[in-house]
Amino acid sequence: MTDIRNTPGADGGDAVVSAFNAVGADYLFCSSGSEWAPVWESLARRHRDGDPAPAYLDLTHETVAVGMATGYGLVTRRPQGVLLHAAPGLLQGSMAIHGALLAGVPMVVTSSESSTYGDGPGQDPGGQWYRNLSVVGGPHGVARPFTKWANEAASVHTLPTMITRAAELALRAPAGPAYLNIPLEILLEEWDGREAKPVVEPGSTHSSPEQVDSVARLIREAANPVIVTETAGREAGGFEALVAFAEAWDIPVVEPDSAVCGNFPRDHPLHAGSDIEPWMDEADLILLVNCRVPFYPPSRRPSKATVVVIDEVPQRPHIVYQVLFADRYLEGGVANTLGQLTRRARDLDDAYGAAVALRRAAQEKRYAAERKAVEAAEAEAARAEGVDPVLVAATLRTLLDGADPIVVDETITHSRVVRRHLRTSAPDAYFYVQGGLGQGIAVALGARLAAQDRPVVLTVGDGAFTYNPVIQSYDASKAYGLPVLIVVFNNRVYKSMNLNHRRFYPEGAAAGTGEWLGTDLHRLPRLAAFAEPFGMHTETVDMPEALAPALERALKAVADGTTAVVDVLVTR
């Protein structure tokens, strides 16, 4: 730390900007609140004087601010700054913060309250804090259940290093959001210019060679092993390391429905689909690679398999109930552990080669059957009278081929269709929105901010679309030049709610009368129309022959710099 005086007028706002600049935040994602005037003044002064500062995004909804930080962090894996307003803004953004926690995205979220309520010396913070903004225990108490760490910066002198600490905590495994309450009086207090240190990359952790050797022996002795993964692709180099490991040992890979990102190429012959159930009684070795909740119900134990967990932090502290049935743990950096196991596959003996040949033949048969089933489903969808969801996903796959797209998925009943028929095959090409619905547009915008040379597509259901802060998201898209393609799978119903009602009460009153409450969305207007006041490209599709031309026009509009919304009226 240095003890150098800053420029005249420096206060806590300068400390915040200086700290975020030091920790390497590219952006401050801000949903405005009255406490942030010191930060805005610091930014204005730095812009005037040509001094360095993170880029500032002025956003009009808390979910948009946090969601964009999430999308940006999904691609870059680096913590950014998020500024919300007091406890109400924190509560408004809490769903998206929780989603970032589940997705393993690092960020530093801040908001503020008064600590003197107008009875202290210095500038008057305003009566709103005394009357209706403050919460008992402070907003850091509110934030604790849905963040990795939550605290208060109680002094302007410790404020910069508190931000550094929050960023370092957010970055370390399991990555996620940290929260800091910065009282307004601290923001207004004179600052002596002591700088924060930059965030240092976390040190690496590794499983011992002896532990890796013992697992390699298990693999060598297994007749029917399988890899199951949910988040290997979230680790730096994890996608590539998993491909090399699976290929070296010829082990099939299952990505269950609980997978939160693309972890393995879906067009790879070793990809074994999304259903772990066929392996539960057949596999003799299950390798859980970054797999938080592989078995459902949790008591569904594999009948004969040895379970090896490969994960830097196997027991996720934010998961209330987690059952892994582990017999062995390999803890440490996942890419490093997989690399060690890959190297141990060299010079395998003939006996193992014979076992691999049998396993490979079985997987080739499974893969061929899956490809045949996919082709049959797409052929049937092409013959359907209306627009089948399979046709939407397959058409998108064809149009996006070779474009290196990023797909952000916020569908529910169509999520399996999207994964199965889009078949993403590259690292950081697919992300499933975590937590509550209504974040997808913002996450897609954040991904586009991080990868401006790649097309970004949001697939979303009509129900999820209406949960999004649509107007505020479109405003951010236009204001900051972040064009994305939004494809709405619109079946005019909350299908998942309806399916549960039918499942729980198959012969109930609703089944007899047809009175299905809580599900009907036919009353909504044209969903694409909300984009028209922003000058965005809009399409509504209800016939199969219109689908491909509409998506082509939409992708061209995105390439030309404007967000496009294609509302597809699907048949189911």
Side-chain angles (χ1 to χ4, degrees):
M1 297 228 322
T2 60
D3 195 16
I4 301 170
R5 299 291 298 180
N6 207 324
T7 55
D11 56 18
D14 295 287
V16 169
V17 175
S18 175
F20 275 116
N21 199 58
V23 302
D26 301 314
Y27 290 94
L28 297 178
F29 298 86
C30 182
S31 177
S32 298
S34 53
E35 65 265 45
W36 295 120
V39 169
W40 297 333
E41 180 63 19
S42 174
L43 289 168
R45 184 162 51 242
R46 287 166 182 261
H47 295 160
R48 180 197 65 193
D49 298 341
D51 293 332
Y56 175 86
L57 299 183
D58 219 344
L59 306 165
T60 53
H61 196 282
E62 290 83 358
T63 298
V64 177
V66 180
M68 287 184 64
T70 297
Y72 192 86
L74 284 170
V75 177
T76 67
R77 298 177 175 84
R78 290 186 285 105
Q80 305 301 308
V82 179
L83 279 55
L84 306 179
H85 176 45
L90 175 64
L91 289 168
Q92 183 74 268
S94 60
M95 178 187 70
I97 299 170
H98 181 243
L101 180 70
L102 297 177
V105 176
M107 64 180 67
V108 178
V109 181
T110 62
S111 71
S112 177
E113 284 194 1
S114 173
S115 57
T116 64
Y117 306 104
D119 278 340
Q123 297 190 57
D124 179 8
Q128 71 272 22
W129 305 99
Y130 179 57
R131 296 187 182 101
N132 66 358
L133 283 181
S134 298
V135 297
V136 175
H140 45 295
V142 172
R144 286 190 182 111
F146 50 84
T147 58
K148 280 187 66 178
W149 176 85
N151 214 328
E152 179 180 67
S155 165
V156 73
H157 305 297
T158 60
L159 174 56
T161 46
M162 287 286 275
I163 290 175
T164 299
R165 172 167 166 73
E168 290 189 330
L169 283 166
L171 187 59
R172 277 156 175 77
Y179 172 79
L180 194 61
N181 171 29
I182 311 174
L184 177 55
E185 288 81 355
I186 301 299
L187 289 170
L188 291 167
E189 191 174 337
E190 184 179 349
W191 175 49
D192 62 12
R194 286 182 285 183
E195 297 281 351
K197 285 178 62 66
V199 168
V200 177
E201 287 294 317
S204 58
T205 58
H206 306 296
S207 296
S208 70
E210 295 77 16
Q211 292 171 318
V212 176
D213 284 340
S214 68
V215 171
R217 284 193 296 272
L218 289 175
I219 300 173
R220 190 183 300 269
E221 295 165 2
N224 194 20
V226 66
I227 297 165
V228 184
T229 183
E230 294 175 334
T231 65
R234 286 293 300 122
E235 306 295 327
F239 188 101
E240 297 88 343
L242 183 59
V243 172
F245 169 57
E247 289 178 343
W249 291 93
D250 261 294
I251 304 176
V253 178
V254 173
E255 287 184 287
D257 289 338
S258 50
V260 307
C261 61
N263 304 287
F264 196 81
R266 295 193 71 90
D267 56 359
H268 194 291
L270 286 173
H271 198 288
S274 60
D275 189 3
I276 191 177
E277 186 59 31
W279 301 90
M280 295 294 285
D281 296 323
E282 299 300 325
D284 56 356
L285 178 64
I286 296 178
L287 300 155
L288 301 179
V289 181
N290 265 32
C291 209
R292 310 159 301 158
V293 285
F295 310 117
Y296 190 83
S299 59
R300 174 61 167 111
R301 190 185 189 102
S303 63
K304 61 183 180 183
T306 297
V307 177
V308 175
V309 173
I310 301 173
D311 201 321
E312 189 167 2
V313 186
Q315 300 296 335
R316 299 289 200 273
H318 60 268
I319 295 179
V320 175
Y321 184 56
Q322 186 182 20
V323 181
L324 298 174
F325 295 123
D327 297 297
R328 240 19 115 74
Y329 286 105
L330 284 182
E331 298 185 42
V334 168
N336 178 277
T337 302
L338 294 177
Q340 290 191 61
L341 288 168
T342 299
R343 289 190 290 275
R344 282 159 174 78
R346 297 170 183 162
D347 304 320
L348 294 171
D349 54 34
D350 292 340
Y352 184 77
V356 165
L358 292 173
R359 190 158 72 231
R360 185 184 298 124
Q363 175 56 23
E364 288 174 352
K365 185 177 179 181
R366 280 189 294 265
Y367 184 72
E370 168 63 8
R371 290 300 297 266
K372 186 176 181 180
V374 166
E375 291 170 1
E378 293 180 2
E380 182 180 356
R383 293 191 299 268
E385 291 187 8
V387 184
D388 190 281
V390 168
L391 181 65
V392 182
T395 304
L396 273 173
R397 183 189 71 237
T398 300
L399 294 175
L400 292 170
D401 185 40
D404 191 24
I406 296 174
V407 177
V408 175
D409 187 14
E410 199 178 24
T411 60
I412 299 296
T413 54
H414 298 119
S415 60
R416 291 184 183 181
V417 168
V418 170
R419 287 194 299 268
R420 189 184 192 201
H421 295 277
L422 266 176
R423 292 208 301 270
T424 54
S425 59
D428 296 333
Y430 174 86
F431 300 106
Y432 190 76
V433 176
Q434 297 296 291
L437 296 172
Q439 309 169 58
I441 305 177
V443 173
L445 292 174
R448 181 63 195 251
L449 183 66
Q452 299 195 24
D453 58 341
R454 299 175 65 184
V456 175
V457 179
L458 171 67
T459 53
V460 62
D462 51 327
F465 179 87
T466 58
Y467 287 142
N468 276 262
V470 173
I471 301 303
Q472 298 91 333
S473 298
Y474 289 166
D475 172 65
S477 172
K478 186 167 185 178
Y480 296 106
L482 300 172
V484 297
L485 170 60
I486 300 171
V487 180
V488 185
F489 287 66
N490 188 348
N491 56 11
R492 283 81 73 202
V493 66
Y494 283 125
K495 191 69 174 288
S496 61
M497 286 80 148
N498 186 252
L499 289 173
N500 268 353
H501 193 158
R502 292 174 184 272
R503 182 163 63 93
F504 296 147
Y505 302 98
E507 299 178 2
T513 64
E515 185 182 11
W516 301 107
L517 301 176
T519 64
D520 185 22
L521 294 177
H522 280 87
R523 65 181 182 271
L524 293 177
R526 289 192 306 115
L527 298 184
F530 292 99
E532 291 172 0
F534 293 88
M536 295 172 174
H537 184 89
T538 64
E539 302 266 2
T540 300
V541 177
D542 60 0
M543 297 296 291
E545 60 271 18
L547 177 64
L551 290 173
E552 285 182 297
R553 290 190 295 269
L555 283 167
K556 182 180 184 304
V558 171
D560 289 342
T562 184
T563 284
V565 185
V566 182
D567 182 18
V568 186
L569 307 183
V570 293
T571 55
R572 57 186 174 93

